[in-house]
Amino acid sequence: MRFLAKIFLFIALLIPLSSLSGIWGFYGHQKINRLAVFTLPPEMIAFYKHHIRYITENAVNPDKRRYAVDGEAPRHFIDIDVYGDSAIYKMPRYWNAAVEQFTEDTLQAYGIVPWHVYRMKGWLTDAMRIRDAKAILRLSAELGHYIADANVPLHTTENYNGQLTGQKGIHGLWESRLPELFSEDYDFLVGRADYIENTQLAIWQGVTHAHEALDSVLQYEITVSQKLEEDKKYSFETRGAATVKVYSREFSKEYHVMLNHMVERQMRRAVKMVGDFWYTCWIDAGQPDLEAIIGVEFSEEELKQRKEELQVWKEKRYASRAHEVE
Protein backbone atom coordinates (compact mmCIF):
# COMPACT_ATOMS: atom_id res chain seq x y z
CA MET A 1 0.00 0.00 0.00
CA ARG A 2 1.56 3.23 -1.14
CA PHE A 3 0.95 5.53 1.80
CA LEU A 4 2.72 8.83 1.95
CA ALA A 5 5.62 8.72 4.35
CA LYS A 6 3.89 10.91 6.92
CA ILE A 7 0.78 8.75 6.93
CA PHE A 8 2.82 5.61 7.35
CA LEU A 9 4.79 7.14 10.20
CA PHE A 10 1.57 8.23 11.88
CA ILE A 11 0.19 4.71 11.73
CA ALA A 12 3.48 3.25 12.89
CA LEU A 13 3.42 5.48 15.96
CA LEU A 14 -0.03 4.22 16.89
CA ILE A 15 0.35 0.48 16.27
CA PRO A 16 3.06 -1.73 17.75
CA LEU A 17 5.31 -2.99 14.98
CA SER A 18 5.18 -6.52 16.30
CA SER A 19 1.43 -6.60 15.73
CA LEU A 20 2.06 -6.06 12.02
CA SER A 21 4.50 -8.88 11.62
CA GLY A 22 2.12 -11.66 10.67
CA ILE A 23 1.60 -15.11 12.07
CA TRP A 24 4.64 -16.12 14.21
CA GLY A 25 6.14 -13.12 12.46
CA PHE A 26 8.17 -13.62 9.31
CA TYR A 27 11.16 -14.22 11.56
CA GLY A 28 9.47 -17.07 13.44
CA HIS A 29 8.09 -18.83 10.40
CA GLN A 30 11.40 -18.76 8.61
CA LYS A 31 13.29 -19.96 11.67
CA ILE A 32 10.90 -22.88 12.20
CA ASN A 33 11.21 -24.07 8.61
CA ARG A 34 14.98 -23.72 8.61
CA LEU A 35 15.42 -25.66 11.84
CA ALA A 36 13.05 -28.40 10.70
CA VAL A 37 15.47 -29.25 7.88
CA PHE A 38 18.00 -30.49 10.45
CA THR A 39 15.57 -33.06 11.86
CA LEU A 40 15.56 -35.02 8.58
CA PRO A 41 17.36 -38.33 7.94
CA PRO A 42 20.39 -38.54 5.61
CA GLU A 43 18.22 -39.66 2.67
CA MET A 44 16.31 -36.36 2.79
CA ILE A 45 18.60 -33.79 4.34
CA ALA A 46 20.92 -33.37 1.35
CA PHE A 47 18.01 -32.21 -0.82
CA TYR A 48 16.51 -29.97 1.85
CA LYS A 49 19.84 -28.45 2.93
CA HIS A 50 20.73 -27.72 -0.70
CA HIS A 51 17.49 -25.76 -0.96
CA ILE A 52 17.39 -24.46 2.61
CA ARG A 53 17.32 -20.85 1.48
CA TYR A 54 14.19 -21.52 -0.55
CA ILE A 55 12.57 -23.51 2.27
CA THR A 56 13.35 -20.66 4.68
CA GLU A 57 12.44 -17.64 2.57
CA ASN A 58 9.24 -19.14 1.20
CA ALA A 59 7.92 -20.09 4.62
CA VAL A 60 5.99 -16.82 4.54
CA ASN A 61 4.29 -17.28 1.16
CA PRO A 62 0.87 -18.17 2.60
CA ASP A 63 0.86 -14.90 4.56
CA LYS A 64 1.51 -12.99 1.36
CA ARG A 65 -1.46 -14.63 -0.35
CA ARG A 66 -3.78 -14.05 2.56
CA TYR A 67 -4.72 -10.59 1.35
CA ALA A 68 -4.98 -11.42 -2.34
CA VAL A 69 -6.46 -14.90 -2.66
CA ASP A 70 -10.04 -15.75 -1.71
CA GLY A 71 -10.21 -18.65 0.71
CA GLU A 72 -6.64 -18.29 1.95
CA ALA A 73 -7.30 -16.62 5.30
CA PRO A 74 -9.24 -19.50 6.94
CA ARG A 75 -6.31 -21.85 6.33
CA HIS A 76 -4.31 -20.14 9.08
CA PHE A 77 -6.55 -20.58 12.14
CA ILE A 78 -9.53 -22.23 13.76
CA ASP A 79 -11.79 -20.31 16.16
CA ILE A 80 -12.57 -23.45 18.09
CA ASP A 81 -14.28 -21.71 20.98
CA VAL A 82 -17.22 -20.56 18.79
CA TYR A 83 -18.36 -24.19 18.66
CA GLY A 84 -19.16 -24.28 22.37
CA ASP A 85 -17.73 -25.44 25.67
CA SER A 86 -14.93 -28.02 25.42
CA ALA A 87 -15.25 -27.97 21.62
CA ILE A 88 -11.52 -28.57 21.25
CA TYR A 89 -12.14 -32.13 22.50
CA LYS A 90 -15.48 -32.70 20.75
CA MET A 91 -14.87 -31.26 17.27
CA PRO A 92 -14.88 -33.88 14.49
CA ARG A 93 -11.29 -34.51 13.46
CA TYR A 94 -12.15 -35.52 9.90
CA TRP A 95 -13.40 -33.06 7.29
CA ASN A 96 -16.45 -34.92 6.00
CA ALA A 97 -17.77 -35.50 9.50
CA ALA A 98 -17.22 -31.83 10.39
CA VAL A 99 -19.00 -30.65 7.22
CA GLU A 100 -21.92 -32.94 7.96
CA GLN A 101 -22.26 -31.54 11.47
CA PHE A 102 -21.57 -27.83 10.85
CA THR A 103 -21.65 -27.19 7.04
CA GLU A 104 -18.66 -26.15 4.96
CA ASP A 105 -19.61 -22.45 5.05
CA THR A 106 -19.47 -22.46 8.84
CA LEU A 107 -16.11 -24.20 8.91
CA GLN A 108 -14.66 -21.75 6.39
CA ALA A 109 -15.97 -18.82 8.42
CA TYR A 110 -14.20 -19.94 11.60
CA GLY A 111 -11.03 -21.46 10.19
CA ILE A 112 -9.83 -24.78 8.78
CA VAL A 113 -6.13 -24.99 9.64
CA PRO A 114 -6.02 -28.63 10.86
CA TRP A 115 -7.93 -29.93 7.85
CA HIS A 116 -5.86 -27.86 5.45
CA VAL A 117 -2.64 -29.24 6.92
CA TYR A 118 -3.94 -32.75 6.26
CA ARG A 119 -4.86 -31.84 2.68
CA MET A 120 -1.40 -30.38 2.06
CA LYS A 121 0.17 -33.52 3.50
CA GLY A 122 -1.51 -35.43 0.69
CA TRP A 123 -0.31 -32.97 -1.94
CA LEU A 124 3.29 -33.13 -0.72
CA THR A 125 3.18 -36.93 -0.65
CA ASP A 126 1.98 -36.96 -4.26
CA ALA A 127 4.70 -34.49 -5.31
CA MET A 128 7.34 -36.72 -3.73
CA ARG A 129 5.85 -39.81 -5.34
CA ILE A 130 6.30 -38.33 -8.83
CA ARG A 131 9.56 -36.60 -7.83
CA ASP A 132 8.38 -33.13 -8.81
CA ALA A 133 11.21 -31.14 -7.19
CA LYS A 134 9.66 -27.70 -7.53
CA ALA A 135 6.36 -28.85 -6.08
CA ILE A 136 8.19 -30.62 -3.24
CA LEU A 137 9.97 -27.41 -2.30
CA ARG A 138 6.91 -25.19 -2.59
CA LEU A 139 4.63 -27.55 -0.67
CA SER A 140 7.26 -28.28 1.99
CA ALA A 141 7.76 -24.57 2.66
CA GLU A 142 4.04 -23.87 2.83
CA LEU A 143 3.10 -26.96 4.82
CA GLY A 144 5.63 -25.80 7.39
CA HIS A 145 3.84 -22.46 7.57
CA TYR A 146 0.41 -23.92 8.34
CA ILE A 147 1.79 -26.40 10.87
CA ALA A 148 3.50 -23.53 12.68
CA ASP A 149 0.23 -21.59 12.66
CA ALA A 150 -1.58 -24.51 14.25
CA ASN A 151 0.82 -24.35 17.21
CA VAL A 152 -0.03 -20.74 18.10
CA PRO A 153 -2.58 -20.53 20.96
CA LEU A 154 -4.11 -17.32 19.61
CA HIS A 155 -4.86 -19.12 16.33
CA THR A 156 -7.40 -21.25 18.15
CA THR A 157 -9.79 -18.58 19.40
CA GLU A 158 -12.21 -15.93 18.23
CA ASN A 159 -10.37 -13.59 20.62
CA TYR A 160 -7.33 -13.89 18.34
CA ASN A 161 -5.84 -10.50 19.17
CA GLY A 162 -7.28 -9.85 22.61
CA GLN A 163 -9.86 -7.57 21.00
CA LEU A 164 -12.65 -9.10 23.10
CA THR A 165 -10.81 -8.67 26.40
CA GLY A 166 -9.20 -5.24 26.01
CA GLN A 167 -5.80 -6.74 25.11
CA LYS A 168 -5.50 -5.68 21.49
CA GLY A 169 -2.00 -6.28 20.21
CA ILE A 170 -1.31 -9.43 22.24
CA HIS A 171 -1.05 -11.55 19.10
CA GLY A 172 1.94 -9.69 17.80
CA LEU A 173 3.44 -9.57 21.30
CA TRP A 174 3.29 -13.33 21.77
CA GLU A 175 4.20 -14.58 18.32
CA SER A 176 6.53 -11.86 17.03
CA ARG A 177 7.96 -9.60 19.71
CA LEU A 178 8.94 -12.36 22.14
CA PRO A 179 10.66 -14.61 19.56
CA GLU A 180 12.49 -11.64 18.08
CA LEU A 181 13.82 -10.63 21.50
CA PHE A 182 14.49 -13.99 23.14
CA SER A 183 14.63 -16.89 20.65
CA GLU A 184 18.42 -16.75 20.36
CA ASP A 185 18.45 -18.29 23.83
CA TYR A 186 15.97 -21.06 22.99
CA ASP A 187 17.02 -24.70 22.77
CA PHE A 188 15.98 -25.99 19.36
CA LEU A 189 17.58 -29.42 19.56
CA VAL A 190 14.41 -31.42 19.06
CA GLY A 191 15.85 -34.70 17.77
CA ARG A 192 15.24 -36.54 14.53
CA ALA A 193 11.96 -36.58 12.66
CA ASP A 194 9.58 -39.46 13.41
CA TYR A 195 6.98 -41.15 11.25
CA ILE A 196 3.39 -40.14 12.07
CA GLU A 197 0.85 -42.96 11.91
CA ASN A 198 -2.17 -40.65 11.65
CA THR A 199 -1.33 -37.13 10.48
CA GLN A 200 -4.91 -35.88 10.82
CA LEU A 201 -4.99 -36.75 14.50
CA ALA A 202 -1.44 -35.45 14.97
CA ILE A 203 -2.24 -31.95 13.75
CA TRP A 204 -5.32 -31.88 15.95
CA GLN A 205 -3.14 -32.81 18.91
CA GLY A 206 -1.04 -29.76 18.07
CA VAL A 207 -4.09 -27.50 17.91
CA THR A 208 -5.41 -28.94 21.18
CA HIS A 209 -2.12 -28.41 22.98
CA ALA A 210 -1.97 -24.82 21.73
CA HIS A 211 -5.55 -24.12 22.78
CA GLU A 212 -4.93 -25.48 26.27
CA ALA A 213 -2.28 -22.75 26.71
CA LEU A 214 -4.65 -19.95 25.69
CA ASP A 215 -5.89 -18.99 29.16
CA SER A 216 -2.31 -18.44 30.35
CA VAL A 217 -1.47 -16.36 27.27
CA LEU A 218 -4.31 -13.97 28.05
CA GLN A 219 -4.21 -13.96 31.86
CA TYR A 220 -0.47 -13.40 32.19
CA GLU A 221 -0.61 -10.37 29.90
CA ILE A 222 -3.27 -8.88 32.18
CA THR A 223 -1.12 -9.65 35.23
CA VAL A 224 1.96 -7.96 33.80
CA SER A 225 -0.09 -4.98 32.60
CA GLN A 226 -1.39 -4.50 36.15
CA LYS A 227 2.11 -4.81 37.58
CA LEU A 228 3.80 -2.25 35.33
CA GLU A 229 2.68 1.33 34.85
CA GLU A 230 1.26 2.23 31.44
CA ASP A 231 4.27 4.28 30.44
CA LYS A 232 6.47 1.19 30.88
CA LYS A 233 4.35 -1.05 28.67
CA TYR A 234 5.43 0.53 25.38
CA SER A 235 8.51 2.16 23.97
CA PHE A 236 9.70 3.53 20.64
CA GLU A 237 12.31 1.97 18.39
CA THR A 238 13.80 2.99 15.07
CA ARG A 239 13.07 0.54 12.27
CA GLY A 240 14.56 1.67 9.00
CA ALA A 241 13.44 5.23 8.37
CA ALA A 242 10.53 5.07 10.81
CA THR A 243 10.14 5.39 14.55
CA VAL A 244 7.61 2.84 15.73
CA LYS A 245 5.74 2.04 18.90
CA VAL A 246 6.53 -1.42 20.30
CA TYR A 247 6.02 -3.37 23.49
CA SER A 248 8.87 -2.31 25.75
CA ARG A 249 11.70 -4.70 26.48
CA GLU A 250 10.86 -4.52 30.18
CA PHE A 251 7.24 -5.48 29.62
CA SER A 252 8.17 -8.16 27.10
CA LYS A 253 10.70 -9.70 29.50
CA GLU A 254 8.23 -9.76 32.40
CA TYR A 255 5.63 -11.44 30.19
CA HIS A 256 8.17 -13.87 28.76
CA VAL A 257 9.33 -14.93 32.22
CA MET A 258 5.77 -15.38 33.42
CA LEU A 259 4.98 -17.59 30.42
CA ASN A 260 7.82 -19.84 31.61
CA HIS A 261 9.24 -20.84 28.21
CA MET A 262 5.83 -21.29 26.56
CA VAL A 263 6.86 -19.59 23.31
CA GLU A 264 10.02 -21.70 23.21
CA ARG A 265 8.01 -24.89 23.79
CA GLN A 266 5.54 -24.05 21.04
CA MET A 267 8.30 -23.19 18.57
CA ARG A 268 10.05 -26.46 19.42
CA ARG A 269 6.81 -28.36 18.89
CA ALA A 270 6.36 -26.63 15.55
CA VAL A 271 9.91 -27.44 14.41
CA LYS A 272 9.53 -31.09 15.35
CA MET A 273 6.09 -31.40 13.80
CA VAL A 274 7.18 -29.83 10.51
CA GLY A 275 10.07 -32.29 10.26
CA ASP A 276 7.79 -35.18 11.20
CA PHE A 277 5.28 -34.27 8.48
CA TRP A 278 7.97 -33.90 5.77
CA TYR A 279 9.46 -37.25 6.77
CA THR A 280 6.04 -38.93 6.83
CA CYS A 281 5.26 -37.65 3.35
CA TRP A 282 8.55 -39.08 2.10
CA ILE A 283 7.90 -42.48 3.67
CA ASP A 284 4.33 -42.61 2.36
CA ALA A 285 5.59 -41.68 -1.10
CA GLY A 286 7.83 -44.75 -1.16
CA GLN A 287 11.08 -43.07 -0.04
CA PRO A 288 11.98 -41.56 -3.43
CA ASP A 289 15.60 -40.67 -4.22
CA LEU A 290 15.59 -36.92 -3.61
CA GLU A 291 19.28 -36.51 -4.38
CA ALA A 292 18.51 -37.41 -7.99
CA ILE A 293 16.44 -34.22 -8.32
CA ILE A 294 18.60 -31.98 -6.14
CA GLY A 295 19.72 -29.76 -9.01
CA VAL A 296 16.36 -28.16 -9.77
CA GLU A 297 16.49 -24.40 -10.36
CA PHE A 298 13.76 -21.78 -10.55
CA SER A 299 13.39 -19.72 -13.70
CA GLU A 300 13.59 -15.93 -13.87
CA GLU A 301 9.86 -15.90 -14.57
CA GLU A 302 9.14 -17.86 -11.40
CA LEU A 303 11.36 -15.55 -9.36
CA LYS A 304 9.59 -12.54 -10.90
CA GLN A 305 6.23 -14.02 -9.94
CA ARG A 306 7.31 -14.35 -6.31
CA LYS A 307 8.37 -10.68 -6.30
CA GLU A 308 5.01 -9.68 -7.73
CA GLU A 309 3.22 -11.69 -5.05
CA LEU A 310 5.24 -9.86 -2.42
CA GLN A 311 4.23 -6.51 -3.90
CA VAL A 312 0.55 -7.49 -3.83
CA TRP A 313 0.97 -8.46 -0.19
CA LYS A 314 2.53 -5.09 0.66
CA GLU A 315 -0.30 -3.23 -1.06
CA LYS A 316 -3.14 -5.20 0.51
CA ARG A 317 -1.94 -6.02 4.00
CA TYR A 318 -3.67 -2.98 5.52
CA ALA A 319 -6.69 -3.09 3.22
CA SER A 320 -8.41 -6.20 4.64
CA ARG A 321 -9.42 -7.57 8.00
CA ALA A 322 -6.65 -10.08 8.58
CA HIS A 323 -7.45 -12.66 11.25
CA GLU A 324 -4.17 -12.12 13.06
CA VAL A 325 -2.72 -8.71 12.36
CA GLU A 326 -5.36 -6.20 13.40
Side-chain angles (χ1 to χ4, degrees), residues 1-171:
M1 200 169 188
R2 298 180 180 278
F3 289 111
L4 294 175
K6 290 184 179 179
I7 297 177
F8 178 81
L9 178 58
F10 175 73
I11 293 174
L13 290 172
L14 293 179
I15 305 176
L17 178 71
S18 57
S19 72
L20 303 177
S21 299
I23 309 162
W24 270 120
F26 277 17
Y27 173 85
H29 270 301
Q30 292 176 338
K31 195 174 189 70
I32 288 167
N33 265 18
R34 181 179 181 85
L35 291 166
V37 169
F38 298 97
T39 69
L40 300 175
E43 298 89 343
M44 296 181 70
I45 198 169
F47 176 84
Y48 277 81
K49 279 188 70 176
H50 184 80
H51 295 287
I52 196 167
R53 181 175 178 181
Y54 180 97
I55 293 289
T56 301
E57 292 179 352
N58 289 276
V60 300
N61 281 356
D63 274 349
K64 299 173 186 176
R65 290 197 304 268
R66 201 173 46 193
Y67 306 93
V69 176
D70 290 338
E72 175 63 36
R75 299 171 178 175
H76 298 255
F77 64 91
I78 180 168
D79 293 341
I80 195 69
D81 43 17
V82 305
Y83 295 100
D85 184 51
S86 300
I88 191 65
Y89 307 109
K90 302 174 183 177
M91 193 76 177
R93 273 24 182 176
Y94 296 94
W95 177 253
N96 289 340
V99 169
E100 183 176 349
Q101 184 171 345
F102 295 105
T103 78
E104 183 169 351
D105 287 346
T106 299
L107 298 177
Q108 291 286 348
Y110 296 113
I112 60 170
V113 64
W115 298 296
H116 186 63
V117 165
Y118 180 68
R119 180 168 59 174
M120 288 204 69
K121 185 271 174 186
W123 293 344
L124 179 55
T125 301
D126 288 343
M128 288 185 172
R129 186 172 290 119
I130 64 174
R131 301 200 310 171
D132 183 338
K134 291 182 180 180
I136 291 170
L137 290 171
R138 177 177 60 82
L139 291 168
S140 294
E142 296 188 6
L143 176 58
H145 181 106
Y146 297 114
I147 291 172
D149 285 352
N151 283 278
V152 176
L154 289 161
H155 279 232
T156 70
T157 174
E158 188 177 23
N159 190 27
Y160 59 90
N161 196 24
Q163 76 281 6
L164 303 180
T165 49
Q167 297 171 274
K168 192 171 182 179
I170 191 173
H171 204 132

Side-chain angles (χ1 to χ4, degrees), residues 163-181:
Q163 76 281 6
L164 303 180
T165 49
Q167 297 171 274
K168 192 171 182 179
I170 191 173
H171 204 132
L173 169 64
W174 191 95
E175 72 182 8
S176 295
R177 183 64 167 163
L178 298 188
E180 288 168 0
L181 289 177

Side-chain angles (χ1 to χ4, degrees), residues 207-226:
V207 172
T208 301
H209 188 274
H211 188 70
E212 289 173 341
L214 179 63
D215 286 348
S216 296
V217 171
L218 296 169
Q219 183 56 53
Y220 292 161
E221 192 276 342
I222 291 174
T223 300
V224 178
S225 294
Q226 293 172 341

Side-chain angles (χ1 to χ4, degrees), residues 192-240:
R192 289 185 56 174
D194 295 308
Y195 181 78
I196 304 171
E197 293 292 340
N198 187 317
T199 50
Q200 183 67 95
L201 296 184
I203 190 60
W204 269 101
Q205 288 172 357
V207 172
T208 301
H209 188 274
H211 188 70
E212 289 173 341
L214 179 63
D215 286 348
S216 296
V217 171
L218 296 169
Q219 183 56 53
Y220 292 161
E221 192 276 342
I222 291 174
T223 300
V224 178
S225 294
Q226 293 172 341
K227 179 179 179 179
L228 295 180
E229 297 179 5
E230 181 68 20
D231 62 352
K232 293 184 178 180
K233 186 171 184 177
Y234 302 106
S235 61
F236 292 91
E237 293 183 359
T238 300
R239 303 291 178 92

